[in-house]
């Protein structure tokens, strides 16, 4: 039997909930129709698709007609940033976009694309804990601003941004606001109505749903330019035959995340406290990154100065433990995290940071084992690194 992995990377992806698998199975087998077909086989698939849309709308407090199904968080973010900004500019509303320095690359790189198309983009700084200041958003708004995109929860440090406050400022200036809520699902009450946003991105695989499916909520009547050309699916806004089984799975996953949120948060909170206290006792020189209170329960970001997070990650991997050294999409490159840099952290702190992210299946035994592994790995690596620096004359 292979040893059980200590998986502490739920913010990168999560396993399928067995209840989600069960909900999906009929649509991977018997119900195989194309939802756009007019015959009975197609109509069965259409029915499942529209039921899923209605269920999701009720979970997220929006209208079913405001939901576009996509291939995941990245596509949803791209659709929101590019699709809204381009449509607004085409309508003569301006060419200025506001976002933050700590967004996911799906937003940041879409903004870079807009800059290449002649848009002006303001990348708002954050404070030392990763918070965007709503006053800074207000100050950056101009008559030319066509979109504000600020994430709900940062994926590396877990900081919860003041989205309702920013949305209210945007509404008073008649500027649409998008939020990437990927890391919020299951952690916060995600409500389009309460938050007052005009567009919201989600993905299924970060909350026990399938990979490769997500959604974008787009408020009724918001100008939008599709990114792809093709058939008329998703109200002419996102062509391509819908991934019915995955969408049914996503509806189940979002529903369960909504229903079980309080339990999940309490569970993660208790485990994270144990993890952080354990690290503090065993490795008192480690430093926590992110906001002390305004953060989701399942993410802990800790720096181990004097240690390379890349090497540490590999040592922990050998010891049976899965963690992240930054956003999964940037690992493999040696660039220190753009998020930790925006917090004003030194290169040493940024390059020694690990993200531990917990899930509903994480146990107290997992945390106890993780602490043992950290205690036997980190000080040894730190000592080795110090010796290497001395012998190379770099100390
Ligand atoms: C994971 C993630 C995404 C990308 O979602 P995919 O479905 O993997 O494309 C976008 N934004 C945030 C905050 C994320 O954590």
């Amino acid at each position: 039997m292979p040893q059980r992995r200590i998986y502490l990377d739920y913010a990168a992806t999560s396993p399928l909930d067995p209840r989600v698998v069960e909900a999906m199975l009929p649509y991977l087998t018997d119900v195989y129709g194309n939802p756009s077909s007019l015959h009975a086989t197609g109509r069965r698939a259409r029915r499942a698709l529209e039921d899923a849309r209605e269920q999701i709308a009720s979970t997220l407090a929006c209208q079913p007609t405001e939901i576009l199904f996509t291939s995941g968080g990245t596509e949803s973010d791209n659709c929101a940033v590019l699709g809204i900004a381009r449509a607004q500019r085409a309508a003569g509303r301006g060419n200025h976009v506001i976002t933050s320095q700590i967004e996911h690359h799906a937003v940041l790189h879409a903004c870079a694309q807009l800059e290449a198309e002649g848009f002006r983009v303001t990348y708002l700084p954050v404070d030392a804990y990763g918070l965007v200041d709503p006053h800074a958003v207000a100050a950056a708004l101009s008559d030319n601003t066509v979109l504000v995109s600020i994430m709900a929860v940062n994926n590396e440090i877990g900081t919860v941004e003041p989205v309702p406050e920013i949305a209210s400022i945007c509404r008073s200036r008649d500027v649409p606001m998008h939020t990437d809520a990927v890391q919020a699902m299951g952690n916060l009450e995600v409500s389009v109505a309460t938050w007052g946003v005009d567009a919201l991105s989600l993905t299924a695989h970060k909350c026990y749903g399938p990979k490769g499916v997500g959604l974008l909520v787009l408020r009724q009547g918001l100008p939008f330019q599709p990114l792809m050309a093709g058939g008329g699916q998703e109200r002419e806004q996102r062509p391509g035959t819908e991934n019915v089984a995955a969408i049914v799975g996503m509806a189940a996953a979002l529903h369960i995340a909504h229903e079980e949120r309080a339990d999940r948060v309490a569970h993660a909170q208790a485990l994270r406290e144990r993890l952080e206290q354990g690290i503090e006792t065993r490795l008192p020189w480690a430093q926590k990154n992110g906001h002390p209170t305004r953060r989701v329960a399942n993410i802990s970001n800790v720096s181990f100065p004097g240690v390379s997070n890349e090497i540490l990650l590999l040592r922990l991997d050998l010891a049976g433990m899965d963690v992240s050294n930054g956003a999964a999409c940037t690992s493999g490159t040696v660039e220190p995290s753009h998020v930790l840099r925006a917090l004003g952290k030194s290169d040493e702190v940024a390059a020694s940071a690990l993200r531990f992210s917990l899930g509903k299946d994480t146990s107290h035994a997992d945390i106890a084992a993780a602490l043992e592994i950290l205690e036997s790995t980190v000080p040894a690596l730190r000592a080795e690194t110090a010796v290497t620096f001395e012998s190379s004359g770099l100390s």
Side-chain angles (χ1 to χ4, degrees), residues 72-74 77 104 151 155 180 182-183 203 205-206:
T74 298
D77 284 345
H104 190 273
M151 69 200 324
N155 47 302
D180 174 338
V182 164
Q183 295 288 346
T203 192
H205 75 97
K206 306 269 175 93

